Amino acid sequence: MAPPSAIVVGAGAGGIATAARLAKAGYKVTVVEKNSFLGGRCSLVHHDEFRFDQGPSLLLMPECFQQTFEELGTTPEKENVKLLTCDPNYRIWFSDGDHLEMSTDIAKMKPQIERLEGANGLEGVFGFLKESGAHYDLAMEHVLCKDFPNIFAMLRPGLVKSLLALHPFESMFSRVKRYFKSDKLRRAFTFASMYLGMNPFEAPGTYSLLQYTELAHGILYPEGGFVKVLEAIARVGERLGVTFRLNTPVASILQAADGSARGVRLTSGEELLADVVVINADLVYAYNNLLPQTSYAKSLTKRKASCSSISFFWSFDRVIDELSVHNIFLAEEYKESFDSIFHRHQLPKDPSFYVNVPSRIDPTAAPTGKDSAVVLVPVGHIDDDPSNPQDWDVLVDRAREAAFKTIEARTGAKGLRESIIRETVETPTSWKAKFNLDRGAILGLSHSFFNVLSFRPQNRHSDIKGLYFVGASTHPGAGVPVALMSAKVTTDLIQKDARKPTGGRSAWMVWWFVVPLLLAVFSFSKYGSVAWSRVLPLGAKH
């Protein structure tokens, strides 16, 4: 009997990992990718001998990577993936010229923390680490590796018991305020929400787990660029029989007479048939362009989305010694900058931004005596509202000038403009064109409470049998390590469905009970905590 077959649409992190996992489970797998390269947003940009990471440049949550390789029967080391440790993790630059160096070595951070928080400043750090560590452990156990096909799944005893400990109804910033009195440290311990394209004043407190993994596990960088990790997983997949077809865009998903998925039609007109189809393309794009139009597909375009970015890739004719591997420049008007991005979908007047200099840790990223640098300036996603015009040429010029001015003023570096040999730029419109990203949102749909778990678009299509999703806008969410966990969830679902076809997956009959319950918990957590804070001793941490 012929083995079951699968087609994976898109060779991003989730698609590559899903293909390898399915192949290991005995499937004959073909991956079709519209671009000429693997990795999706997690790919490389080249200027002759200069190399840049187009997307992620910080390897976080290393156990997700380790688990993926181990469950494929190998290790990163066996696949020649060399992970370099960034020490310090990164440098944070403030508007007054002050800076902090974040590190896994708390002893190195102690003088900096006490300078801002006083002699007992480390108590706040330890309190924060205890809480954010709990967020990390609980999320790994109850969220990242489990499917949430319906509202019942949110009532699993382990998750319900852990719900309030995850602080999903409070913002990251409000939780961090409990541990630090210094505005600088409150900013330093919350900007990581931008890894998910979210506002720290609105992102659920759960996501402090991102700052925890930085401080507890450190930040790693794969030698040769982040995509080397995904290329290694792809090689494992190829050894298991996966076929990758690049420059192969998909026009639509084919359906059988009974409505189930039966393959894909390419833009060339060629049809590829399979038992199951997994979509790793942008989920909102897929629902609205590869599948029949539905009201649900249209509703996805109205959901909250993550931010976008204006990204500069600069080749320098010299080494910029003032910059570390990872550099964060935080706006003086911190909250206002996020309001501009997430509420007005614009570029802040005073933007916060990130600068990555891969050649500082990996000499292969630039010729000797020169530097490659990526400057990522977060901006609002594409907004088609005519009352909110977005002139991207003007915004690119503003972002570039803000980056030059801020870097030179805060670090003391001089003559950056004159030292650039070559520049390329990505904007929300180019992100959308290159990767079919809805609204140019670089991290897919938002991770607000009512956009995660059972509320997030599911890994299995609710009506089309044999059609699955993996990646940023499905469960569990965005980011390379999370996409790798999404691949595990989706592969497990496919195998489960193959063993015992599922039915009756909808649970609308319980919404009348569960939604009021969740709203009640939300109301108490948001407003009840305010009342209780007036009773508790001033400055108490809980």
Side-chain angles (χ1 to χ4, degrees), residues 1-6 26-28 275:
M1 186 172 71
S5 57
Y27 280 73
K28 179 178 175 58
D275 298 309

Side-chain angles (χ1 to χ4, degrees), residues 231-269:
E231 289 177 348
I233 297 174
R235 287 195 302 273
V236 175
E238 287 178 320
R239 292 203 300 268
L240 295 168
V242 177
T243 298
F244 287 91
R245 293 183 55 175
L246 305 181
N247 298 304
T248 308
V250 170
S252 63
I253 305 301
L254 296 174
Q255 291 181 250
D258 64 359
S260 61
R262 59 183 289 265
V264 299
R265 179 178 292 111
L266 307 179
T267 56
S268 65

Side-chain angles (χ1 to χ4, degrees), residues 130-306:
K130 181 179 179 180
E131 176 175 300
S132 58
H135 291 169
Y136 184 89
D137 292 339
L138 291 171
M140 290 296 295
E141 180 180 359
H142 299 294
V143 177
L144 293 185
C145 295
K146 298 186 184 300
D147 179 32
F148 285 83
N150 52 50
I151 211 71
F152 283 120
M154 293 176 64
L155 300 179
R156 291 171 184 149
L159 181 60
V160 171
K161 182 179 179 180
S162 306
L163 189 61
L164 293 183
L166 284 165
H167 302 105
F169 307 111
E170 296 179 74
S171 73
M172 283 180 66
F173 198 85
S174 68
R175 293 304 307 175
V176 166
K177 281 178 65 176
R178 297 169 182 262
Y179 298 104
F180 302 107
K181 61 185 180 183
S182 160
D183 188 58
K184 288 181 178 177
L185 287 184
R186 290 174 177 178
R187 298 179 182 204
F189 281 84
T190 56
F191 78 85
S193 66
M194 293 300 288
Y195 298 166
L196 295 175
M198 291 194 70
N199 183 343
F201 294 91
E202 298 172 356
T206 310
Y207 296 121
S208 67
L209 63 86
L210 294 166
Q211 219 88 44
Y212 170 79
T213 188
E214 289 182 344
L215 294 172
H217 306 141
I219 291 176
L220 302 173
Y221 182 77
E223 185 176 69
F226 206 116
V227 74
K228 292 299 180 183
V229 178
L230 300 187
E231 289 177 348
I233 297 174
R235 287 195 302 273
V236 175
E238 287 178 320
R239 292 203 300 268
L240 295 168
V242 177
T243 298
F244 287 91
R245 293 183 55 175
L246 305 181
N247 298 304
T248 308
V250 170
S252 63
I253 305 301
L254 296 174
Q255 291 181 250
D258 64 359
S260 61
R262 59 183 289 265
V264 299
R265 179 178 292 111
L266 307 179
T267 56
S268 65
E270 180 184 359
E271 294 186 351
L272 304 177
L273 304 182
D275 298 309
V276 298
V277 176
V278 182
I279 297 180
N280 183 222
D282 182 80
L283 182 143
V284 180
Y285 170 85
Y287 264 99
N288 285 277
N289 294 274
L290 305 182
L291 294 167
Q293 280 295 305
T294 63
S295 57
Y296 178 72
K298 187 175 182 181
S299 73
L300 291 175
T301 67
K302 306 298 181 184
R303 287 204 187 192
K304 285 186 177 181
S306 62

Side-chain angles (χ1 to χ4, degrees), residues 19 32 48 52 60 90 92 99 123 143 189 195 205 221 231 240 254 295 298 310 313-314 324 343 363 464 492 520 524:
V32 289
D48 297 324
F52 313 84
L60 303 175
Y90 47 80
I92 302 175
H99 70 270
E123 290 183 9
V143 177
F189 281 84
Y195 298 166
Y221 182 77
E231 289 177 348
L240 295 168
L254 296 174
S295 57
K298 187 175 182 181
I310 294 173
F313 303 88
W314 289 339
S324 183
H343 297 167
I464 302 176
D492 288 348
F524 175 81

